[in-house]
Amino acid sequence: MNPDISLFDLIRSAEPVFWQNPELSPIPNFSLTESDVTDAESRLRRFAPWIAQCFPETQAACGIIESPLTPIPQMAEPLAKKFGKPIRGNLWLKRDDSLPVSGSVKARGGIYAVLKHTEDLLFHENLLTSDGDYRTISQDSIKSFLHRKKLAVGSTGNLGLSIGIIGAALGYQTSVYISREARQWKKDLLRAKGVRVVESEQNYEAAVAAGRAESEADPDSYFIDDERSVDLYIGYAVAARRLQTQLKEAGIPVDSDHPLNVYLPCGVGGGPGGITFGLKLIFGSNVRCYFAEPTQAPCMLLAIATGKGSRVSAQDYGLSGITAADGLAVTRASELVWREMRTNLDGCFTVRDEDLFAYLRMLNENCGIRIEPSACAGFAGLQYIAKETEPNTTHIIWSTGGGMVPQEEMKNYLQLADF
Ligand SMILES: *Cc1c(COP(=O)(O)O)cnc(C)c1O
């Protein structure tokens, strides 16, 4: 039997699958380069004094938006019990749920894309120079200039939060085109910041298209295009440099005897794709990156496994795209990210909603850490990979969001769990 036929049958019936990429290149080959990441890292450093001034929670880190890397050995036993097999290697959680400013991985790429655009505008108007004091951005003359400019974005929620919060801080008029799965509290929070929230009963892809069309008709509006933006992707990639430092500080080697496995929840692909790009530039094939997607929305798995990129959607396989993992409710992958991941990503797997809630509660009960359903998707990967791997493998579950979830909402999530 052709194994791929059964793979697509399983995908169609929304069964969890694990897929290893047969096209994986032994040497990473990306179209973007090291210097693109260095450029982004420098830009974030230039903005750091302004960020520290506007967001007091970043002051201790001097305006660098970063999250801790936390050991979670307590998870090994309950996970092994759930999977019915032991977990080998060490478990770590990359806490992007606790990223300052907007509490999700979108505080990386989303904020970076807005800062990049802002620099472009201010340099062009001679209102700022790269060696100047970026704290002047908060002065009235610059703020009133930016207030005449508009930002727009399509989002399932978290990207909208990041763009809305940073956009409001800079003075922009911001519109967020939000898709059907967006949680009410995210819309309320955005409106409280003065952001225009355009609601729709449609999915993420349609929300992005609506935002793009309206923004393109307005010369003062800049559209942050999650399906196409190189800036978003590069902004996420900076995470890899920061992780490299944290691994060193924690005394964790990464080499051919000490492989690093990273499990990344994937929506349209920019976040996990950018991080994978950054990590592979640093660690080559000693890092293995796996994307986690909902069984109802495995867009990147389909894009790569069929070779059709953004020409294929989860709907083509009879899937709804409806999932409790709102951050991952995307049925068509980014063409840009698909191209970059095609021969560089190690594999993909899919996760059922009920399992997300099981991991959510398990993490709360064993580690006292509360994250949102999307952010739990990476845990599922351990059942496919951990058994065969060397005992000295480091596993990093990338926890992509949850820092801003209201307590009431979190209580509901915890009650949905059953394991
Ligand atoms: C957006 C998001 C992701 C995935 O990022 P993409 O760039 O859409 O692939 C993962 N987890 C959470 C919580 C998110 O909000």
Side-chain angles (χ1 to χ4, degrees), residues 104-106 156 158-159 186 204 226 236 265-273 327-328 330 372 374-375 400-402:
S104 84
V105 67
K106 305 294 188 325
T156 61
N158 284 340
L159 184 61
K186 293 183 183 175
Y204 163 84
D226 199 19
Y236 289 117
C266 177
V268 74
L328 316 181
V330 179
E372 65 183 85
S374 298
T400 45

Side-chain angles (χ1 to χ4, degrees), residues 86-373:
I87 312 254
R88 306 183 71 188
N90 298 311
L91 300 184
W92 294 77
L93 196 67
K94 179 59 178 157
R95 298 284 316 271
D96 276 9
D97 57 283
S98 69
L99 275 176
V101 182
S102 66
S104 84
V105 67
K106 305 294 188 325
R108 299 184 183 279
I111 289 178
Y112 174 74
V114 173
L115 298 181
K116 167 81 165 48
H117 173 64
T118 303
E119 230 187 26
D120 290 346
L121 284 177
L122 297 180
F123 285 2
H124 185 258
E125 299 292 319
N126 294 318
L127 289 167
L128 185 71
T129 56
S130 65
D131 57 355
D133 182 352
Y134 277 47
R135 286 170 299 186
T136 59
I137 293 172
S138 291
Q139 289 174 359
D140 286 346
S141 57
I142 294 189
K143 229 173 173 174
S144 61
F145 167 75
L146 291 176
H147 194 61
R148 292 194 295 274
K149 303 287 175 187
K150 296 171 193 161
L151 294 177
V153 67
S155 171
T156 61
N158 284 340
L159 184 61
L161 272 186
S162 281
I163 306 284
I165 291 170
I166 200 78
L170 285 159
Y172 287 102
Q173 304 171 50
T174 307
S175 297
V176 175
Y177 296 77
I178 210 145
S179 60
R180 62 186 175 195
E181 42 283 306
R183 313 297 304 163
Q184 188 59 43
W185 67 266
K186 293 183 183 175
K187 298 182 231 178
D188 294 345
L189 198 152
L190 282 171
R191 289 196 172 111
K193 299 243 171 229
V195 173
R196 173 175 164 246
V197 178
V198 186
E199 295 190 54
S200 106
E201 277 314 302
Q202 291 182 295
N203 67 12
Y204 163 84
E205 196 183 338
V208 171
R212 190 190 287 128
E214 199 176 294
S215 189
E216 273 172 0
D218 181 348
D220 279 332
S221 180
Y222 180 71
F223 187 63
I224 312 275
D225 199 328
D226 199 19
E227 291 181 327
R228 301 173 187 175
S229 167
V230 173
D231 291 339
L232 271 166
Y233 179 78
I234 297 283
Y236 289 117
V238 175
R241 301 256 178 110
R242 312 259 182 83
L243 181 67
Q244 180 185 27
T245 307
Q246 291 179 325
L247 287 166
K248 257 191 212 140
E249 284 168 359
I252 302 169
V254 181
D255 53 42
S256 53
D257 293 327
H258 302 86
L260 175 63
N261 284 0
V262 185
Y263 307 89
L264 297 146
C266 177
V268 74
I275 293 167
T276 296
F277 163 56
L279 287 172
K280 295 268 177 179
L281 284 179
I282 296 169
F283 299 115
S285 56
N286 294 327
V287 64
R288 300 124 176 198
C289 298
Y290 299 93
F291 286 3
E293 296 182 293
T295 49
Q296 288 292 343
C299 65
M300 193 59 78
L301 166 59
L302 285 171
I304 305 179
T306 63
K308 290 183 180 169
S310 62
R311 285 177 295 130
V312 66
S313 90
Q315 279 98 341
D316 299 344
Y317 283 75
L319 300 169
S320 66
I322 293 171
T323 164
D326 46 323
L328 316 181
V330 179
T331 51
R332 194 182 298 278
S334 153
E335 178 79 7
L336 164 89
V337 179
W338 164 70
R339 283 188 190 282
E340 295 291 280
M341 292 301 115
R342 208 157 45 151
T343 59
N344 290 309
L345 186 65
D346 294 78
C348 294
F349 53 90
T350 58
V351 195
R352 286 197 190 105
D353 281 9
E354 63 208 66
D355 289 323
L356 296 177
F357 289 114
Y359 303 130
L360 192 146
R361 197 169 109 193
M362 212 185 272
L363 188 65
N364 179 50
E365 287 181 0
N366 293 280
C367 307
I369 295 173
R370 296 180 166 193
I371 63 180
E372 65 183 85

